[in-house]
C-alpha cells in the first residue's frame, strides 16, 4: 500500500469520527515478508510492511454510514467524484443504443453533444439580521440594521458589474425581504421563490453542539429537502447553455453551509464548523468539466465593522 493511499484512508476515518487506518511518524520500520501486501479473502490486500518512517495501525472500523439520501463514491484512491452532479457526458447517454456500424465516431459525437460549455457562478447570500422574537415566520421580519445590511449587500453585488441571470430565494420572510432590497440594486433581474431553500436541519453535525439539538425527525424531514435543493440548483451548466451564468441564491446559514460542503465534496457533517455573517456573500464556481471552486465564503468585507452580525 502506498503512503498516499494510507494517508487517504486515515483521513477517511478521521473525517467520519473513527479511525480507519492511522499513520504515525516513527523511526524506520523493518520490512516483514517479501511483498507489498498479503491477500485477504475476497481478493483485497492488507499491508505487510510499513513504508519507511511510517507505522501503519490495523483498521479498527470503517467510515460510519451517513444519511441515506447522500451518495458517496466508492473508495478508488481519489476522493473527487467527477460525476458528482450526474452530468458527466458518459453518464448522460445510453451506450446500449450505440450504432455498431459507426462505433466510436458516433459515441464521440454524442459525448460532445452532452458536454457543458459554460461556467456557472453561484452567489449564495445569507439573509440579513431579523427579529428573533417573532413567533411565526411572518413575524420574523428584518430589523432596521438588517435592512441596512441588505442595502450594502445589494450595492456590493451591483458593483461587481456582472450580468445576473436570476435571484432564487427562500420563501421565508427574512429571505424574501432581503431579496426585495437587494433586487432594487439589480433592476430587471427576475426573482423566483422556492420552499426548497427554507431554513432547517440538513444533517446531524459532527462534532455535535450542546446549544442546538433538533429532534431526529427534523433532520429526516429537512435533510432530504435541503439535499433536494442542492441537487436541483447546484450542478454544472446544461449542455445547451452557451454563455457563463451568474445566479444569486438568497437563503439561510444552515442551507449555505451544507451546500458548500456538498459542492466541495467535504464531509457534509462538518457544515456547522463554518460560520456566516448576515448579508454575507459566498461565491461558488462550477466549471464545464464539473470542477468546483470556492472563491469567497461569507464575505462581509464591504460592510462597516459596526454593521456586521451573525444572528
Amino acid at each position: 500500500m502506498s503512503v498516499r493511499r494510507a494517508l487517504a484512508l486515515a483521513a477517511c476515518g478521521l473525517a467520519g469520527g473513527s479511525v480507519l487506518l492511522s499513520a504515525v511518524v516513527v523511526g524506520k520500520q523493518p520490512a516483514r515478508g517479501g511483498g507489498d501486501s498479503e491477500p485477504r479473502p475476497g481478493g483485497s490486500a492488507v499491508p505487510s510492511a510499513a513504508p519507511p518512517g511510517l507505522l501503519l495501525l490495523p483498521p479498527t472500523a470503517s467510515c460510519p454510514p451517513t444519511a441515506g439520501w447522500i451518495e458517496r463514491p466508492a473508495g478508488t484512491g481519489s476522493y473527487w467524484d467527477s460525476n458528482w452532479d450526474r452530468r458527466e457526458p458518459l453518464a448522460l447517454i445510453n451506450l446500449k443504443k450505440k450504432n455498431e456500424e459507426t462505433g466510436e465516431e458516433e459515441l464521440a459525437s454524442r459525448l460532445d453533444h452532452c458536454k457543458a460549455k459554460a461556467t456557472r457562478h453561484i452567489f449564495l447570500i445569507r439573509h440579513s439580521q431579523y427579529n428573533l422574537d417573532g413567533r411565526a415566520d411572518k413575524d420574523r421580519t428584518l430589523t432596521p440594521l438588517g435592512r441596512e445590511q441588505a442595502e450594502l449587500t445589494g450595492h456590493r453585488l451591483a458593483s461587481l458589474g456582472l450580468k445576473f441571470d436570476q435571484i432564487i430565494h427562500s420563501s421565508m420572510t427574512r429571505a424574501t425581504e432581503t431579496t426585495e432590497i437587494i433586487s432594487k440594486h439589480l433592476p430587471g433581474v427576475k426573482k423566483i421563490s422556492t420552499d426548497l431553500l427554507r431554513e432547517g436541519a440538513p444533517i446531524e453535525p459532527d462534532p455535535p453542539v450542546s446549544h442546538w439539538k433538533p429532534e431526529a425527525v427534523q433532520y429526516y424531514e429537512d435533510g432530504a429537502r435541503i439535499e433536494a435543493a442542492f441537487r436541483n440548483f447546484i450542478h454544472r451548466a446544461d449542455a445547451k447553455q452557451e454563455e457563463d451564468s451568474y445566479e444569486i441564491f438568497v437563503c439561510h446559514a444552515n442551507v449555505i453551509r451544507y451546500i458548500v460542503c456538498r459542492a466541495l465534496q467535504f464531509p457534509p457533517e462538518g457544515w456547522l464548523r463554518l460560520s456566516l455573517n448576515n448579508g454575507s456573500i459566498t461565491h461558488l464556481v462550477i466549471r464545464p468539466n464539473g470542477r468546483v471552486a470556492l472563491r469567497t465564503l461569507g464575505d462581509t468585507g464591504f460592510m462597516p465593522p459596526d454593521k456586521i452580525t451573525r444572528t
Side-chain angles (χ1 to χ4, degrees):
M1 177 180 289
S2 67
V3 175
R4 187 174 182 179
R5 175 65 174 155
L7 292 175
L9 289 174
C12 172
L14 291 173
S18 62
V19 177
L20 175 62
L21 180 64
S22 299
V24 183
V25 179
V26 294
K28 284 190 176 181
Q29 303 296 312
R32 293 177 292 179
D36 292 331
S37 62
E38 298 175 356
R40 176 187 292 177
S44 59
V46 294
S48 59
L54 292 175
L55 172 62
L56 300 184
L57 303 180
T60 57
S62 61
C63 290
T66 189
W69 56 80
I70 298 178
E71 300 175 24
R72 284 189 172 165
T76 58
S78 172
Y79 285 92
W80 181 257
D81 176 12
S82 61
N83 193 31
W84 61 274
D85 58 354
R86 300 301 179 263
R87 294 184 182 227
E88 192 73 14
L90 195 59
L92 296 176
I93 63 175
N94 187 346
L95 294 178
K96 292 182 179 179
K97 294 183 178 180
K98 174 181 167 183
N99 188 314
E100 297 298 335
E101 295 181 2
T102 57
E104 296 301 326
E105 292 183 6
E106 180 182 311
L107 176 60
S109 175
R110 291 166 65 188
L111 285 174
D112 187 64
H113 180 72
C114 294
K115 286 182 180 178
K117 308 174 189 64
T119 295
R120 291 185 69 204
H121 292 263
I122 295 173
F123 294 83
L124 300 161
I125 313 298
R126 188 192 176 194
H127 60 78
S128 301
Q129 186 190 68
Y130 68 102
N131 174 26
L132 293 172
D133 296 327
R135 290 189 176 184
D137 176 62
K138 63 182 180 64
D139 302 318
R140 295 173 186 145
T141 56
L142 298 185
T143 64
L145 175 56
R147 301 187 71 82
E148 288 186 64
Q149 292 170 339
E151 292 283 359
L152 291 166
T153 302
H155 185 270
R156 171 59 176 170
L157 290 170
S159 72
L160 297 177
L162 301 174
K163 183 182 178 182
F164 289 104
D165 297 86
Q166 59 185 355
I167 303 176
I168 301 177
H169 64 90
S170 158
S171 57
M172 298 186 82
T173 300
R174 53 189 181 273
T176 300
E177 290 188 344
T178 300
T179 299
E180 291 301 324
I181 295 173
I182 287 176
S183 66
K184 292 190 303 181
H185 298 268
L186 303 170
V189 179
K190 65 179 179 181
K191 303 185 291 291
I192 301 172
S193 177
T194 176
D195 291 338
L196 288 178
L197 292 173
R198 292 174 73 90
E199 184 63 297
I203 191 172
E204 191 168 355
D206 184 17
V209 293
S210 59
H211 63 277
W212 187 72
K213 290 186 177 181
E215 296 292 332
V217 68
Q218 189 173 345
Y219 288 117
Y220 182 78
E221 294 175 350
D222 294 347
R225 172 180 54 78
I226 296 172
E227 171 67 14
F230 171 78
R231 297 192 189 193
N232 192 54
F233 298 123
I234 312 300
H235 51 76
R236 74 193 77 184
D238 187 272
K240 297 178 181 179
Q241 182 176 322
E242 299 289 340
E243 299 181 356
D244 293 353
S245 58
Y246 301 86
E247 303 158 72
I248 298 172
F249 293 82
V250 181
C251 49
H252 310 269
N254 293 359
V255 178
I256 295 172
R257 293 182 284 187
Y258 177 81
I259 285 176
V260 168
C261 288
R262 288 285 282 117
L264 298 178
Q265 297 189 28
F266 293 162
E269 297 87 353
W271 64 272
L272 201 51
R273 304 172 203 172
L274 308 177
S275 182
L276 299 174
N277 294 331
N278 294 115
S280 61
I281 300 174
T282 295
H283 182 184
L284 278 174
V285 179
I286 305 178
R287 299 294 183 189
N289 61 3
R291 297 291 179 88
V292 181
L294 179 65
R295 288 198 175 175
T296 61
L297 175 67
D299 176 31
T300 49
F302 52 88
M303 293 187 185
D306 61 337
K307 302 296 182 184
I308 296 176
T309 62
R310 280 192 298 275
T311 56

